[in-house]
Amino acid sequence: MCGIVAYLGNKPARSLLIEGLKRLEYRGYDSAGIAIMNGKLHVVRAVGRVGTLEEKLDQLAARGEYDGTLGMCHTRWATHGGVTEVNAHPHRDDRHGIAVVHNGIIENYSALKTYLKEKGHAFSSETDTEVLAVLIGELYEGDLEAAVQAALREVDGAYAITVICEKEPDTLVVARKGSPLIVGIGADEYVVASDAAAIISHTTHAFALDDYNVVKLWRAAGADGQMVYEFRTSTIHNVPVTPKIEQLELDLEQIELGGYQHFMLKEIFEQPQSLRNCMSGRIDAKDGKVTLGGLANFARDLTRAKKVILTAQGTALHAAMIGRYLMEDLAKVQAQTEYASEFRYRNPIIEDGTVVIAVSQSGETADTLAALHEAKDRGALALGVVNVVGSSIARQTDAGVYLRVGPEIGVASTKAFLGQVSVLTLITLFMARRRMMSADHCADLLREMEQIPAKIERILEQAPRIKRVTEKYIDRENWLFLGRGYNFPTALEGALKLKEISYIHAEGMPAAEMKHGPIALINEGMPAVFIANKGRQYEKVLSNIHEVRARGGHVIAIATEGDEHIADHVQDVLYVPEISEPLSPMLTVVPLQIMAYYAALARGHDVDKPRNLAKSVTVE
Ligand code: M6R
């Protein structure tokens, strides 16, 4: 949700910034902009993708104005104000040559704008960010760091910002509250970015800012005339902070396409390997034992837990819903799922023995983070199931388990979903074994889990057939996804995948719910995808299939290998290998991901950058 890259160093900033911005484009892509300090502040902005900004810059580059070694850039996901060049970042103040790029929302921007107008300031955009730039300018008295600190003391809301000023051409000031920001420390250079993907090709030495941290990075000539690069970290109240510098664990290969047409396809095909990584060292199938280092100190709390609340948004919520079924069914603990956005504003009942699990790929989703804070304030044990190491949720939970599926770049979440379901299964078994599950039962399930990567490989081999089936229905504007029990959330996930990247209207629901209203939608040729694998409710799903067929609907069934019988009742069947029902969503979801991908492709959409969306939703 908006990507930021800033650079202060000994190399030309322009190409380095654009390269970094391209790596962050999945965070938002409606407009982009860059500011370079070269004697004066030079700003270029463009509506559209980073590529458009780059073309514009290339045309201007001959003039030499963009050759500086200090600069910053931004790719935007609009919140305040339409998608226009005027609203694109960087934004400038009206007096001192200060420029700001920002990810987040300044909630009290309207009151601040009124105040600043009364002081005689003028505004050119509709954005909250310009208000912040002007506020910093209003408070500027020759010290950019002090002005940023003072301005942020007046601000409500979320921000990751980078700030430069014509009057301090060797200084970069950055700050964070609620939105991520990382400072990479190289030899005579700093690269600041919203995530490690933009830093990794320059340095692996970095620290993440905590909320209310302000970092001043600067250079000055030393006694020998050589430039010396320095930084200091403080709070917005100017209290010094010692940052924790760490090695970034990210491989450049992981964030490149590696021959695939899209990141989504790459990530779908990576699932067998990412699942192996996720389970590695955590499963002892011989003894029926799960080891989760992150939860080791909380085993007793989990054994005695009276209730588990799983909270998340979007795809992560669907994984959480499967987690709920697992926990009730296998660990015999009362479990519920909650949209994080609803949970935080209700008056949730958190009694003694309540465990809240926040599920999130990015670890930065604002709603999920806020729900976590609410749960902690009310005394729950707060756990995280997160992919991005060191992310806000990971750092603010009491404990947690990482997905270990590698960076997910496609906006449509695929391998993270599988990782989330896998980790929630492991947490369930970790609890279940300590509560009432026998070692043998646990060992059986773990052995089956170990076989899942190979089974997914078999599904992936069917991608060309899944493509052909999808293309048969590509002109239909309304689809249904139906499932029962463990595969009701899978149906929701199938519908979400299809709508978010192909813009086809799709609804997911429990198969039994259809006859309570949605059945009225079914007309001749309407595609209905049924998750009809073998399980407790198989016969009931078959009845629901007949109800759709009787009304002219076309059924695509996701069925268990060997179930020849189902082919007589539906138009198309996509088979998945046999597996125990609690583990089945990890297989049944895969054909749905592939269907969504090929539907979007057939409709000519940009699969990795669907309209109106962004990868990480850091605003409420
Ligand atoms: O980073 P998170 O897992 O917290 O993100 C939650 C949702 O925003 C995310 O899953 C979203 O629904 C995806 N675009 C779905 O593909």
Side-chain angles (χ1 to χ4, degrees):
M1 185 130 298
C2 298
I4 293 176
V5 193
Y7 180 79
L8 170 70
N10 55 12
K11 300 189 187 111
R14 179 166 60 96
S15 54
L16 195 145
L17 288 173
I18 292 293
E19 176 210 305
L21 205 58
K22 283 183 179 164
R23 291 202 193 283
L24 296 193
E25 208 171 5
Y26 69 93
R27 300 181 64 89
Y29 33 79
D30 58 44
S31 54
I34 188 166
I36 302 268
M37 191 68 72
N38 188 9
K40 283 177 75 70
L41 188 64
H42 299 282
V43 173
V44 185
R45 300 180 293 182
V47 170
R49 302 286 165 89
V50 174
T52 313
L53 174 72
E54 190 178 21
E55 278 167 25
K56 214 166 162 182
L57 259 179
D58 286 346
Q59 284 162 16
L60 297 166
R63 307 210 306 238
E65 290 163 351
Y66 297 91
D67 291 345
T69 53
L70 166 63
M72 59 190 194
C73 57
H74 185 267
T75 176
R76 180 174 185 241
W77 185 84
T79 58
H80 293 69
V83 180
T84 63
E85 195 174 311
V86 171
N87 287 335
H89 300 211
H91 288 282
R92 280 175 278 193
D93 83 318
D94 51 347
R95 292 188 183 162
H96 302 288
I98 289 170
V100 176
V101 300
H102 169 219
N103 172 21
I105 291 181
I106 306 299
E107 285 168 3
N108 59 339
Y109 85 104
S110 185
L112 290 170
K113 194 168 186 174
T114 307
Y115 161 78
L116 291 164
K117 276 184 178 166
E118 280 164 11
K119 290 245 165 199
H121 293 279
F123 294 85
S124 54
S125 79
E126 303 155 79
T127 65
D128 51 339
T129 306
E130 188 185 17
V131 174
L132 181 57
V134 172
L135 180 64
I136 295 170
E138 165 68 20
L139 298 169
Y140 185 73
E141 290 174 352
D143 180 345
L144 186 61
E145 180 193 28
V148 170
Q149 288 169 331
L152 294 180
R153 290 197 292 269
E154 303 301 325
V155 153
D156 296 329
Y159 52 79
I161 56 168
T162 68
V163 190
I164 56 179
C165 173
E166 244 170 39
K167 293 177 177 164
E168 299 180 42
D170 293 305
T171 299
L172 168 66
V173 177
V174 310
R176 159 207 165 121
K177 186 204 153 201
S179 301
L181 206 58
I182 302 172
V183 177
I185 305 165
D188 290 344
E189 63 180 356
Y190 300 114
V191 188
V192 180
S194 304
D195 81 44
I199 295 178
I200 198 75
S201 51
H202 304 285
T203 176
T204 55
H205 215 47
F207 67 91
L209 273 71
D210 281 324
D211 280 350
Y212 303 108
N213 280 183
V214 177
V215 186
K216 174 182 176 180
L217 307 126
W218 76 97
R219 63 184 163 206
D224 57 359
Q226 293 287 316
M227 277 294 180
V228 179
Y229 286 79
E230 297 188 69
F231 72 92
R232 74 169 215 118
T233 306
S234 60
T235 67
I236 57 172
H237 298 286
N238 202 26
V239 177
V241 170
T242 308
K244 197 164 155 228
I245 298 169
E246 291 174 308
Q247 283 289 115
L248 293 174
E249 285 179 21
L250 188 65
D251 191 342
L252 209 50
E253 239 177 53
Q254 293 177 305
I255 54 172
E256 286 176 345
L257 277 167
Y260 284 92
Q261 197 180 344
H262 293 101
F263 281 107
M264 183 181 177
L265 191 64
K266 178 182 182 230
E267 287 155 9
I268 289 172
F269 274 79
E270 274 173 356
Q271 290 181 115
Q273 189 50 42
S274 52
L275 215 52
R276 287 186 184 104
N277 295 345
C278 172
M279 294 189 287
S280 163
R282 290 170 166 171
I283 286 184
D284 177 352
K286 196 160 69 60
D287 289 338
K289 210 171 139 199
V290 173
T291 306
L292 297 170
L295 300 186
N297 293 335
F298 296 90
R300 274 168 72 88
D301 303 77
L302 288 167
T303 309
R304 294 170 180 194
K306 294 203 180 90
K307 182 163 81 174
V308 177
I309 300 175
L310 298 120
T311 188
Q313 296 289 147
T315 287
L317 185 74
H318 301 153
M321 290 169 81
I322 295 166
R324 176 208 171 170
Y325 280 82
L326 288 162
M327 289 193 176
E328 277 177 1
D329 190 14
L330 302 177
K332 310 288 181 221
V333 62
Q334 190 193 331
Q336 66 191 61
T337 45
E338 299 275 356
Y339 283 102
S341 54
E342 292 298 314
F343 177 79
R344 67 164 302 196
Y345 287 114
R346 288 214 328 270
N347 201 359
I349 297 166
I350 306 275
E351 289 159 325
D352 205 27
T354 303
V355 178
V356 172
I357 304 183
V359 184
S360 174
Q361 188 286 129
S362 62
E364 301 294 348
T365 300
D367 289 316
T368 311
L369 192 57
L372 177 75
H373 292 158
E374 186 66 34
K376 280 181 82 172
D377 288 351
R378 289 173 184 245
L381 172 65
L383 305 182
V385 170
V386 170
N387 194 33
V388 178
V389 176
S391 56
S392 300
I393 294 177
R395 285 187 293 148
Q396 293 175 37
T397 38
D398 296 310
V401 183
Y402 282 121
L403 306 185
R404 303 202 308 217
V405 298
E408 188 180 70
I409 293 171
V411 167
S413 186
T414 53
K415 65 176 181 175
F417 174 80
L418 226 70
Q420 286 157 352
V421 176
S422 169
V423 165
L424 289 168
T425 310
L426 294 178
I427 295 177
T428 300
L429 296 178
F430 181 88
M431 292 172 75
R433 273 294 288 120
R434 287 167 172 78
R435 293 166 79 94
M436 49 190 54
M437 181 180 271
S438 70
D440 284 351
H441 186 191
C442 188
D444 286 347
L445 287 168
L446 291 176
R447 267 192 294 274
E448 278 205 79
M449 279 189 85
E450 284 179 329
Q451 290 166 12
I452 291 177
K455 290 185 174 179
I456 294 176
E457 275 156 4
R458 273 168 42 204
I459 301 172
L460 296 175
E461 283 165 14
Q462 294 180 53
R465 188 174 128 64
I466 299 173
K467 177 174 185 273
R468 281 197 303 278
V469 169
T470 308
E471 285 171 354
K472 275 169 69 176
Y473 301 99
I474 200 62
D475 58 338
R476 312 293 156 83
E477 291 304 331
N478 298 293
W479 291 47
L480 284 181
F481 286 77
L482 301 145
R484 283 174 176 254
Y486 277 104
N487 281 297
F488 153 49
T490 318
L492 295 179
E493 178 58 7
L496 175 60
K497 282 291 85 80
L498 187 69
K499 68 186 136 191
E500 74 177 320
I501 57 171
S502 72
Y503 320 146
I504 293 169
H505 173 243
E507 276 194 54
M509 69 192 74
E513 176 64 13
M514 180 189 62
K515 58 187 169 298
H516 297 281
I519 199 164
L521 293 169
I522 295 169
N523 56 14
E524 193 57 39
M526 179 179 184
V529 180
F530 273 88
I531 296 122
N533 56 312
K534 280 284 165 75
R536 275 175 289 193
Q537 301 193 60
Y538 175 74
E539 296 298 337
K540 304 227 178 294
V541 173
L542 274 189
S543 303
N544 300 139
I545 287 176
H546 287 299
E547 288 154 15
V548 170
R549 290 292 312 273
R551 286 154 184 88
H554 282 202
V555 174
I556 304 158
I558 311 297
T560 306
E561 273 174 9
D563 181 4
E564 306 298 335
H565 163 73
I566 200 163
D568 299 335
H569 302 281
V570 302
Q571 270 78 8
D572 292 285
V573 193
L574 301 172
Y575 286 108
V576 297
E578 192 167 1
I579 191 161
S580 293
E581 204 175 349
L583 306 179
S584 63
M586 285 191 261
L587 299 186
T588 52
V589 75
V590 178
L592 306 185
Q593 297 169 339
I594 299 172
M595 286 179 86
Y597 174 78
Y598 284 118
L601 204 64
R603 288 191 161 215
H605 300 316
D606 186 343
V607 176
D608 285 335
K609 298 188 187 74
R611 74 181 177 207
N612 304 337
L613 291 178
K615 181 68 182 159
S616 162
V617 185
T618 56
V619 295
E620 277 189 56

